[in-house]
Amino acid sequence: MSAAGSGADAPDRRTVAFLEDAPRSSAPVRVAIVGATGYAGAELIRLLDRHPSVEIVGLVARGREDEPVARSHPHLARTGLAVGDTVPDADAVFLALPHGASAALVPDLATRGMRVFDLGADFRLRDPDDYRRWYALDHPAPRLLEHAVYGLPEIHRAELIALRESIPAIVGVPGCYPTATILALAPLARAGLIGDLVVDAKSGVSGAGRDPKPDMMFSELNESVRAYGLAGHRHVAEMEQELGLLGVGSGVADPNPGVRAVDFVPHLIPMTRGILSACHVRPVRRVSPGELDDLYAVAYAGEPFVRIVATGPATKHVLGSNFADVHVRLDERTGRILAIGVIDNLVKGAAGQAVQAFNIVHGLPETAGLEQLPLAP
Amino acid sequence: MSAAGSGADAPDRRTVAFLEDAPRSSAPVRVAIVGATGYAGAELIRLLDRHPSVEIVGLVARGREDEPVARSHPHLARTGLAVGDTVPDADAVFLALPHGASAALVPDLATRGMRVFDLGADFRLRDPDDYRRWYALDHPAPRLLEHAVYGLPEIHRAELIALRESIPAIVGVPGCYPTATILALAPLARAGLIGDLVVDAKSGVSGAGRDPKPDMMFSELNESVRAYGLAGHRHVAEMEQELGLLGVGSGVADPNPGVRAVDFVPHLIPMTRGILSACHVRPVRRVSPGELDDLYAVAYAGEPFVRIVATGPATKHVLGSNFADVHVRLDERTGRILAIGVIDNLVKGAAGQAVQAFNIVHGLPETAGLEQLPLAP
Amino acid sequence: MSAAGSGADAPDRRTVAFLEDAPRSSAPVRVAIVGATGYAGAELIRLLDRHPSVEIVGLVARGREDEPVARSHPHLARTGLAVGDTVPDADAVFLALPHGASAALVPDLATRGMRVFDLGADFRLRDPDDYRRWYALDHPAPRLLEHAVYGLPEIHRAELIALRESIPAIVGVPGCYPTATILALAPLARAGLIGDLVVDAKSGVSGAGRDPKPDMMFSELNESVRAYGLAGHRHVAEMEQELGLLGVGSGVADPNPGVRAVDFVPHLIPMTRGILSACHVRPVRRVSPGELDDLYAVAYAGEPFVRIVATGPATKHVLGSNFADVHVRLDERTGRILAIGVIDNLVKGAAGQAVQAFNIVHGLPETAGLEQLPLAP
Amino acid sequence: MSAAGSGADAPDRRTVAFLEDAPRSSAPVRVAIVGATGYAGAELIRLLDRHPSVEIVGLVARGREDEPVARSHPHLARTGLAVGDTVPDADAVFLALPHGASAALVPDLATRGMRVFDLGADFRLRDPDDYRRWYALDHPAPRLLEHAVYGLPEIHRAELIALRESIPAIVGVPGCYPTATILALAPLARAGLIGDLVVDAKSGVSGAGRDPKPDMMFSELNESVRAYGLAGHRHVAEMEQELGLLGVGSGVADPNPGVRAVDFVPHLIPMTRGILSACHVRPVRRVSPGELDDLYAVAYAGEPFVRIVATGPATKHVLGSNFADVHVRLDERTGRILAIGVIDNLVKGAAGQAVQAFNIVHGLPETAGLEQLPLAP
């Protein structure tokens, strides 16, 4: 599917995807997880260990040798898994590594015939220049970028399906902030409506990863809120790329001028999981509440993981699940649209989304291994 | 092993129980949940909606009429369930009600042929006098107490199995503090070793339920810890009953003098879920670390939900799961034993344990619907 | 205003105000606090009990009769104060009441010769129509509005000083969100620069007050963030009034078009105290970083409680203090200005600001009783 | 005052101390703070900067050279202080250093004529062997231990007063857990009543200091509780030393057998500040509630910082203050006494207590600089 094809037939392409109950091969898909000792790694293990069609054949982290997974993740002791140093042969490999590290590894993994699901940033952007600009990274495998799909199923399901036949098959799993933000804005972007855009996001702390840093200590973060990344957060690149592409098929002359230079400010708040992205949109033209509701209802009809909610969503309502809750509202007084997206940053914002994309690429039911309901309170 | 299994060969009866993979009837077990709008109710829905052998036929709460479950529990919107006012016919009914309320309801439910799983206190104690003393309650159905089983599978699995053939079948699902405490202490109690006992417990706030109370407001509890229930917490009754019974078969002349009047002090700490019960035991005789380890290893060998951990357990490692983590250690300097039990109060301390008991009573695999791994960080 | 300071050169008038060390009457100012059992009441007691020039002559709450203050506020036990039902004679009275309640009370209190510091909304707005629109309130004393001063000393110090000679003397102490927001934006508003404005604020929970409400329970708010007040938060009225007035003297033809209909979205985050207001401004014309820095440096030079900070401010750095931390930054890529204001909502956002205004009105050193440093970590 | 003199005339000796309003020299006491960049250092600055009789002449931390204090402690920016590398001449020096580091430094500081207030462990224990046993430390200045006073004013006020005339003058400021625990138990220990003792404590995270450690990260600690230090926490040494000494004058033949080998288990809970120490005591003989109340009332009559509270105390009620709240209760059913002590670990458990001892040693009013009321909610 080309980006241009999206607007008109969006529901159809999706419906096909989840209705198809392709006969699965009885053998489980063998997967490896690289970067298994971090938080995203833990979530991948949590989900994939219970996945009905998956066998975990390897957990990998630098310098570990047959170390019980419980040493890194006591909560996962009962999986009985161990962490080693080398990537075994597998059908698919999930990478939860710092940016730059994946790109160095992927050519070899792809050559070995594995489908790659990279939870880092190395295969999210299409333009190698964007890596220079946002990551100060000379991408080591720029030609692979053409083969990579941005793994947001609600936007790129058709390309993910197409990866079933593709070699190599590389999925750049979206960042947590872009996931919440793009899902909140996609229906507006497809309609070319975004005239001016402020994205003000709030995140739990786990998104910062597991390495000890002075400003990630409990006593520094508890009972406090602060804005960060003020000099420019890298996730902006994904937002601009994806929201920009969505407007291409809108038929509007100059669609979404507001997404050319997104004003994005993230905040750290004293909780572990969850992202809420509040997107303040000044539309390019007058819209009615009814039109808004229709746009969102059509965009997400049949989506297994997007819930449109009528009141202000809370991160608590998606905790531990792959759901994204989306709320949209027109403020008649100001003329602005407020679109809010809410996810669990480690699930729909990382491991869960990776599994969702994996399911699609492997012809499995899209929700396989992701049926858990959220944990509240 | 038959349902008639005796208490004598404790390990055996347990092993048999989880190994047996009795052919299930293909029809799901129809269940109703009364008190569906509270926190325990939400957890029951969360677990039972995904249970492979269960159909939820009714959610019940006073004064509701076909109200979408999302109004009480937004996170459960996708279940599509609704809450009503009357208890439909079902194979089993879960009651999540204030004490006193269940006892008034159960005779009728039992007459209608339903198996009853009461998450409240009304069927936990064997002696009607205990209800007068601890709950100021004249038990409305004292004769039913004889038929009720204290639903802690690790202790009463045989009795739960026996309920398969019993009419009425009533399970008093244990309280959250007793669950963590009894599991921490059971191996010592069975050996008659508890000479002196202090139980100092810490709980998240969700155990206090959902009704708005001034001292349960966020601003009162956040960034604070306090002891409560100092005049005597009702859960002591269960601890004394169950720990006392465990000593009966110990062969020790005066087993467990320390459990006659348990010194129990609970604390509220600023988190939502989780209980840690620290049990300080002065043993009746010298024990060695090796003896301790053996006692616990034997007691919990093969248990699907009890994990013995070598270092101080954290509630985070069981969050959202039915696991109970148990740690035991001899302090050679003081001669005391420290036994710690850790659970998620809403899962192993309430809804999860109820489902576990339900599985046993209905001849289902004991772990059905409870396979989710804990959510950390 | 005496002390020779003119209004023209803002810094002067302020500097003079805090330098002046007018001879104080040796007798303390007698104050009463109405609404003493709530959170703002507690903070007033905390500050005023230690104020070097104040004597608390009465704590008042409905239906209390000589009740020790420790019953409502255990932390304040050592003040030895008691709460009663009637307002005693005093020089000044602080009102911490729901909106509407103060307006009904103030005429009588003013007649009795007391200076009034109302922490509620009843005397913040100048236009009675605004009360109808935002509060659905037919203001019971509209003529008193003319005499009331909006008690934000950094903006209205001269008017507060003028109240020394005024009868009646009524101060409408600003709301918490407006305080953080107006202080973040005032230098831009004075320069007429605010072309487009999004205010995205995050607040601790104590701002919601002390009355038990289902959605203010710990388990509902902990480990979650949500937007609220989406239908229009009342504090918008103050922001628009004050930011609009600031532009009047800017000399710009159409100053601050962005403040006519402020897009304001508040969020509740899991902490007790603190507000961070992130103000996203599209300026009416190009500005340079240097110009921005100058505007803020000049605006707040000599201010005792405003600190301009070079990096993203955190609420933890103002906790328990009357400081407002302000950060401003130009994003050259987007052309937007980000102005952040951070306060403790119960101090600079309520009780502390009231005491600051009180000090000015009574000719006391502006920082008297407010010298405490913030509490971190 | 000898430890033996404590029981009978306790109130008197204390009364003298606070009543005495010795004519202070008009010159402020010059103090230096070594270890100024940690959490205890921050609290010392917070309190001493506002102390009416103190001038801070130096903040010291390794490798800093005239670095603004705001770099370590943004909340303290307005003090205008800077951190350097060398200890200036001063009347008194506060040391907030890891154990071992102070002992190496003190001989020189004492020789330079400074009074030393060590917030670390190096001067808390009287017996050099205890340093070997509990700290694996060969104390570098064992002879100075004889001159050091354990700086818990409520127990050792007379010795602190005696330090006014002493050279060298060294105060070992107590640890946080011992402070809460000893204050909770002192009246019982003086009466020789402690037959058996379990101390189960809960602490906020700031007690672990500021160095980044993997298990002190927000995401590891939030929404979790765990026991730690199970192999033996070093603070036990102080508890046993001090509680043992208190019994010496009790006149009981074998006073307080329960304090010979204290069973102490600390827990980390998800909050920043505060310690609650629950002390479970089996008394050596029957006591009545009235006798208990009297013991505590007498012991703490006139104490400026100890508040006896009738209900279960909460750490929130002492936050930011130097108060210790103490609650005692007889459980008639079990015969046990529950004594609870609650403090802010960084104030009464560290910096505040150091200032209190400093005040006494320098003949200042004991509460100088410590009058702030707690911050709640």
Side-chain angles (χ1 to χ4, degrees):
Chain A
M1 162 206 164
S2 80
S6 55
D9 57 348
D12 286 359
R13 91 188 125 84
R14 277 193 302 274
T15 310
V16 172
F18 9 110
L19 289 189
E20 89 184 312
D21 219 307
R24 285 176 257 158
S25 64
S26 55
V29 183
R30 296 166 309 140
V31 308
I33 300 167
V34 183
T37 56
Y39 288 153
E43 281 296 271
L44 286 165
I45 301 169
R46 180 176 74 88
L47 296 171
L48 291 167
D49 184 73
R50 293 303 196 243
H51 193 294
S53 309
V54 159
E55 181 191 359
I56 299 178
V57 297
L59 303 183
V60 183
R62 191 177 303 182
R64 312 293 165 116
E65 197 174 331
D66 203 29
E67 178 183 288
V69 72
R71 192 159 320 159
S72 311
H73 308 305
H75 64 296
L76 301 176
R78 277 286 167 98
T79 63
L81 297 166
V83 186
D85 196 39
T86 54
V87 185
D89 283 328
D91 301 312
V93 61
F94 293 84
L95 305 176
L97 297 170
H99 67 82
S102 295
L105 215 59
V106 162
D108 176 56
L109 297 174
T111 303
R112 288 168 64 190
M114 304 187 203
R115 285 162 168 159
V116 175
F117 299 85
D118 180 18
L119 280 74
D122 290 2
F123 294 92
R124 294 176 189 160
L125 304 178
R126 302 189 166 198
D127 183 349
D129 278 348
D130 276 344
Y131 285 98
R132 279 183 209 104
R133 184 151 38 123
W134 291 96
Y135 290 88
L137 177 73
D138 226 349
H139 200 285
R143 297 188 54 181
L144 285 179
L145 292 180
E146 298 162 28
H147 296 277
V149 172
Y150 189 76
L152 191 55
E154 291 78 6
I155 308 295
H156 293 288
R157 188 171 282 115
E159 290 97 318
L160 290 169
I161 292 172
L163 280 189
R164 291 177 193 171
E165 316 299 332
S166 164
I167 297 174
I170 303 173
V171 175
V173 181
C176 50
Y177 286 122
T179 295
T181 303
I182 295 168
L183 290 176
L185 291 172
L188 300 177
R190 277 210 195 94
L193 280 170
I194 303 175
D196 184 86
L197 176 60
V198 167
V199 179
D200 191 295
K202 299 90 200 167
S203 177
V205 176
S206 60
R210 198 169 186 175
D211 291 334
K213 294 166 206 142
D215 55 356
M216 294 296 144
M217 298 271 286
F218 184 91
S219 300
E220 297 296 317
L221 291 164
N222 187 40
E223 192 64 11
S224 193
V225 54
R226 65 179 171 85
Y228 73 105
L230 300 182
H233 193 286
R234 286 153 169 167
H235 282 178
V236 168
E238 290 172 56
M239 296 178 198
E240 293 179 357
Q241 167 183 290
E242 294 298 315
L243 293 172
L245 287 170
L246 280 167
V248 171
S250 66
V252 176
D254 177 17
N256 304 319
V259 311
R260 267 176 231 137
V262 173
D263 175 11
F264 172 64
V265 176
H267 297 76
L268 268 185
I269 62 177
M271 62 185 204
T272 305
R273 288 175 179 238
I275 282 183
L276 183 153
S277 182
C279 308
H280 305 255
V281 176
R282 187 175 290 288
V284 293
R285 60 166 172 81
R286 240 185 143 65
V287 294
S288 71
E291 182 183 358
L292 271 189
D293 290 347
D294 286 352
L295 275 176
Y296 279 72
V298 167
Y300 293 126
E303 278 297 341
F305 293 116
V306 180
R307 301 186 298 194
I308 300 175
V309 297
T311 54
T315 58
K316 184 178 281 286
H317 299 152
V318 300
L319 184 78
S321 83
N322 201 48
F323 286 125
D325 282 0
V326 171
H327 172 76
V328 68
R329 146 187 314 262
L330 178 69
D331 184 334
E332 311 246 17
R333 203 180 72 93
T334 64
R336 268 213 176 73
I337 297 166
L338 175 68
I340 298 179
V342 161
I343 59 170
D344 180 325
N345 58 305
L346 292 179
V347 188
K348 183 62 176 169
Q353 182 138 275
V355 171
Q356 186 183 355
F358 161 90
N359 286 338
I360 297 172
V361 173
H362 286 81
L364 301 167
E366 189 165 330
T367 60
L370 298 170
E371 292 91 348
Q372 292 187 19
L373 291 168
L375 197 68
Chain B
M1 164 199 168
S2 78
S6 76
D9 52 350
D12 286 359
R13 90 186 128 85
R14 277 195 301 274
T15 312
V16 174
F18 8 111
L19 290 188
E20 90 185 310
D21 218 306
R24 284 177 259 159
S25 64
S26 54
V29 183
R30 297 165 307 140
V31 309
I33 300 168
V34 183
T37 55
Y39 288 153
E43 281 296 271
L44 286 166
I45 300 169
R46 181 176 74 88
L47 296 171
L48 291 169
D49 185 72
R50 292 305 196 243
H51 193 295
S53 308
V54 159
E55 182 193 359
I56 298 178
V57 296
L59 302 183
V60 183
R62 191 178 303 183
R64 313 293 166 116
E65 197 173 332
D66 204 29
E67 178 183 289
V69 71
R71 191 156 324 158
S72 311
H73 308 306
H75 64 296
L76 301 176
R78 276 287 166 97
T79 63
L81 296 167
V83 185
D85 195 40
T86 53
V87 186
D89 283 327
D91 301 313
V93 60
F94 293 84
L95 305 177
L97 297 171
H99 66 83
S102 294
L105 216 57
V106 164
D108 176 56
L109 298 174
T111 302
R112 289 168 64 189
M114 304 187 204
R115 285 162 168 160
V116 175
F117 299 85
D118 180 19
L119 280 75
D122 290 2
F123 294 92
R124 294 175 189 160
L125 304 178
R126 302 190 166 199
D127 183 348
D129 278 348
D130 277 344
Y131 284 98
R132 280 184 209 103
R133 185 154 33 127
W134 290 97
Y135 290 88
L137 176 72
D138 226 349
H139 200 286
R143 297 186 56 180
L144 285 180
L145 293 179
E146 297 163 28
H147 298 277
V149 172
Y150 189 76
L152 192 55
E154 291 79 7
I155 308 294
H156 293 287
R157 189 171 281 116
E159 291 96 319
L160 291 169
I161 291 172
L163 281 188
R164 291 178 193 169
E165 316 297 332
S166 164
I167 297 174
I170 302 173
V171 174
V173 181
C176 50
Y177 286 121
T179 295
T181 303
I182 296 168
L183 290 175
L185 291 172
L188 299 178
R190 277 210 195 94
L193 280 170
I194 303 174
D196 185 87
L197 176 60
V198 167
V199 178
D200 192 295
K202 298 92 200 165
S203 177
V205 176
S206 60
R210 198 170 187 175
D211 291 332
K213 294 166 206 143
D215 55 356
M216 294 297 144
M217 298 271 286
F218 184 90
S219 300
E220 297 295 317
L221 291 164
N222 187 40
E223 193 63 10
S224 193
V225 54
R226 64 178 171 87
Y228 73 104
L230 301 182
H233 193 286
R234 286 154 169 166
H235 281 179
V236 168
E238 290 172 56
M239 297 179 196
E240 294 179 357
Q241 166 183 292
E242 293 297 316
L243 293 172
L245 287 170
L246 281 167
V248 170
S250 66
V252 177
D254 177 18
N256 303 319
V259 311
R260 267 177 231 135
V262 173
D263 175 12
F264 172 64
V265 177
H267 298 75
L268 268 185
I269 62 178
M271 62 185 204
T272 305
R273 289 175 178 238
I275 282 184
L276 183 153
S277 182
C279 308
H280 306 255
V281 176
R282 188 174 290 289
V284 294
R285 60 169 172 80
R286 241 184 143 66
V287 294
S288 71
E291 183 185 356
L292 270 188
D293 289 348
D294 285 352
L295 275 176
Y296 279 73
V298 168
Y300 293 126
E303 278 297 341
F305 294 116
V306 180
R307 302 186 297 194
I308 299 174
V309 298
T311 53
T315 57
K316 185 178 280 288
H317 300 151
V318 299
L319 185 76
S321 83
N322 201 48
F323 286 126
D325 281 2
V326 171
H327 172 75
V328 68
R329 146 187 313 263
L330 178 69
D331 185 334
E332 312 246 17
R333 203 180 73 92
T334 64
R336 267 214 177 72
I337 297 166
L338 175 68
I340 297 179
V342 161
I343 59 170
D344 181 324
N345 57 304
L346 292 179
V347 190
K348 184 63 176 168
Q353 182 136 274
V355 171
Q356 186 183 356
F358 160 90
N359 285 338
I360 297 172
V361 173
H362 287 82
L364 302 167
E366 189 165 330
T367 59
L370 299 170
E371 293 91 349
Q372 293 187 16
L373 291 168
L375 197 69
Chain C
M1 160 197 168
S2 76
S6 77
D9 48 353
D12 285 0
R13 92 184 126 86
R14 276 193 301 273
T15 311
V16 173
F18 11 110
L19 289 188
E20 89 185 312
D21 219 308
R24 284 177 259 159
S25 64
S26 55
V29 183
R30 295 167 308 140
V31 310
I33 299 167
V34 183
T37 55
Y39 287 153
E43 281 295 271
L44 286 166
I45 300 169
R46 180 175 76 88
L47 297 170
L48 291 168
D49 184 72
R50 294 303 196 243
H51 194 294
S53 308
V54 159
E55 180 193 0
I56 298 178
V57 296
L59 303 183
V60 183
R62 190 177 305 182
R64 313 292 166 119
E65 196 174 332
D66 204 29
E67 179 183 289
V69 72
R71 191 157 324 157
S72 310
H73 308 305
H75 63 295
L76 301 176
R78 276 286 167 97
T79 62
L81 296 166
V83 185
D85 196 39
T86 54
V87 186
D89 283 328
D91 301 313
V93 61
F94 293 84
L95 305 177
L97 296 171
H99 66 83
S102 295
L105 216 57
V106 162
D108 176 55
L109 298 173
T111 302
R112 289 168 64 188
M114 306 188 202
R115 285 162 168 160
V116 175
F117 299 85
D118 180 19
L119 280 74
D122 290 2
F123 293 92
R124 295 175 188 161
L125 304 178
R126 302 191 166 198
D127 183 347
D129 278 348
D130 276 344
Y131 285 98
R132 278 184 210 105
R133 184 153 37 126
W134 291 97
Y135 291 88
L137 177 73
D138 226 349
H139 199 286
R143 297 186 55 180
L144 287 180
L145 293 179
E146 295 162 29
H147 297 277
V149 173
Y150 189 76
L152 191 57
E154 291 78 6
I155 308 295
H156 293 288
R157 188 171 281 115
E159 291 95 318
L160 290 169
I161 292 171
L163 281 188
R164 291 178 192 169
E165 317 298 334
S166 165
I167 297 175
I170 302 173
V171 175
V173 182
C176 49
Y177 286 120
T179 296
T181 304
I182 296 167
L183 290 176
L185 291 172
L188 299 177
R190 276 209 196 92
L193 280 170
I194 303 175
D196 183 87
L197 176 60
V198 167
V199 179
D200 191 296
K202 298 91 199 166
S203 176
V205 175
S206 60
R210 199 171 188 175
D211 291 332
K213 294 167 206 142
D215 56 355
M216 293 298 144
M217 298 271 285
F218 184 91
S219 300
E220 297 296 316
L221 291 164
N222 186 41
E223 192 64 10
S224 194
V225 54
R226 63 179 171 87
Y228 73 105
L230 301 182
H233 193 286
R234 286 155 169 164
H235 283 178
V236 168
E238 291 171 55
M239 298 180 196
E240 293 178 358
Q241 167 184 291
E242 293 298 316
L243 293 171
L245 287 170
L246 280 167
V248 170
S250 66
V252 177
D254 176 18
N256 305 318
V259 311
R260 267 176 233 136
V262 173
D263 175 12
F264 171 64
V265 176
H267 298 74
L268 267 185
I269 63 178
M271 63 186 204
T272 304
R273 287 175 180 240
I275 281 184
L276 183 152
S277 182
C279 307
H280 305 256
V281 176
R282 187 174 291 288
V284 295
R285 60 167 172 80
R286 239 185 143 66
V287 294
S288 71
E291 182 184 359
L292 270 189
D293 289 348
D294 285 351
L295 275 177
Y296 279 73
V298 168
Y300 294 126
E303 278 297 341
F305 294 116
V306 180
R307 302 186 297 194
I308 299 175
V309 297
T311 54
T315 57
K316 185 179 280 289
H317 300 151
V318 300
L319 185 76
S321 83
N322 201 48
F323 286 126
D325 281 2
V326 171
H327 172 76
V328 69
R329 147 188 311 264
L330 178 70
D331 184 334
E332 312 245 18
R333 203 180 71 92
T334 64
R336 268 213 176 72
I337 297 167
L338 175 68
I340 298 178
V342 161
I343 59 170
D344 181 324
N345 57 305
L346 293 178
V347 189
K348 184 62 174 168
Q353 182 136 274
V355 171
Q356 185 182 356
F358 161 90
N359 286 337
I360 297 171
V361 173
H362 287 82
L364 301 167
E366 188 165 331
T367 60
L370 298 170
E371 293 91 349
Q372 293 187 17
L373 291 167
L375 196 69
Chain D
M1 162 207 163
S2 78
S6 54
D9 57 348
D12 286 359
R13 90 190 126 83
R14 276 193 303 272
T15 309
V16 172
F18 351 106
L19 288 190
E20 89 185 311
D21 219 307
R24 286 176 258 160
S25 64
S26 55
V29 183
R30 297 166 307 139
V31 309
I33 299 167
V34 183
T37 55
Y39 288 152
E43 282 294 271
L44 286 165
I45 299 168
R46 181 175 73 88
L47 297 171
L48 291 168
D49 185 72
R50 294 301 195 244
H51 192 296
S53 308
V54 159
E55 181 192 358
I56 297 178
V57 296
L59 302 183
V60 183
R62 190 178 303 182
R64 314 293 166 115
E65 198 174 332
D66 204 28
E67 178 183 288
V69 71
R71 191 157 322 158
S72 311
H73 307 305
H75 64 297
L76 301 176
R78 277 286 167 97
T79 63
L81 296 167
V83 185
D85 195 40
T86 53
V87 186
D89 284 328
D91 301 312
V93 60
F94 292 84
L95 305 177
L97 296 170
H99 65 82
S102 294
L105 216 58
V106 164
D108 176 55
L109 298 174
T111 302
R112 289 168 64 189
M114 305 187 202
R115 285 163 169 159
V116 175
F117 298 85
D118 180 19
L119 281 73
D122 290 3
F123 294 92
R124 294 176 189 160
L125 303 179
R126 303 189 165 197
D127 182 348
D129 278 348
D130 276 344
Y131 285 98
R132 279 183 209 104
R133 183 152 39 123
W134 291 98
Y135 290 88
L137 177 72
D138 227 350
H139 199 286
R143 297 186 55 181
L144 285 179
L145 293 180
E146 297 162 28
H147 298 277
V149 172
Y150 188 76
L152 191 56
E154 291 78 7
I155 308 294
H156 294 288
R157 189 172 283 115
E159 291 96 316
L160 291 169
I161 292 172
L163 281 187
R164 292 178 192 169
E165 315 298 331
S166 165
I167 297 174
I170 303 173
V171 174
V173 181
C176 49
Y177 286 121
T179 295
T181 303
I182 296 168
L183 290 176
L185 291 172
L188 299 178
R190 278 209 194 95
L193 280 171
I194 303 175
D196 184 86
L197 177 60
V198 167
V199 179
D200 192 295
K202 298 91 201 166
S203 176
V205 175
S206 60
R210 197 171 187 174
D211 291 334
K213 294 165 205 143
D215 56 356
M216 292 298 143
M217 298 271 285
F218 184 90
S219 299
E220 297 295 316
L221 291 164
N222 187 41
E223 193 62 11
S224 194
V225 52
R226 66 180 169 87
Y228 73 104
L230 300 183
H233 193 286
R234 285 152 169 168
H235 282 179
V236 168
E238 290 171 58
M239 296 179 199
E240 294 179 358
Q241 167 183 292
E242 293 298 315
L243 293 172
L245 287 170
L246 280 168
V248 171
S250 66
V252 177
D254 175 18
N256 304 319
V259 311
R260 268 176 231 136
V262 173
D263 175 10
F264 172 64
V265 176
H267 297 76
L268 269 184
I269 62 178
M271 63 186 203
T272 304
R273 288 173 179 241
I275 282 184
L276 183 152
S277 182
C279 308
H280 305 255
V281 177
R282 189 175 288 289
V284 294
R285 61 166 172 82
R286 242 184 141 66
V287 293
S288 70
E291 183 184 356
L292 271 188
D293 289 348
D294 285 351
L295 276 175
Y296 279 72
V298 168
Y300 293 127
E303 279 297 342
F305 293 116
V306 180
R307 302 186 296 195
I308 300 174
V309 297
T311 53
T315 57
K316 184 176 282 287
H317 299 151
V318 299
L319 185 77
S321 83
N322 202 47
F323 286 125
D325 281 1
V326 171
H327 171 76
V328 68
R329 147 189 311 263
L330 178 69
D331 185 334
E332 311 247 17
R333 203 180 72 92
T334 64
R336 268 211 176 75
I337 297 166
L338 175 68
I340 298 178
V342 161
I343 60 170
D344 181 324
N345 57 305
L346 292 178
V347 189
K348 184 62 176 168
Q353 182 137 275
V355 172
Q356 185 182 356
F358 161 90
N359 285 338
I360 296 172
V361 173
H362 287 82
L364 301 167
E366 189 165 330
T367 60
L370 298 170
E371 293 91 348
Q372 292 186 19
L373 291 168
L375 197 68

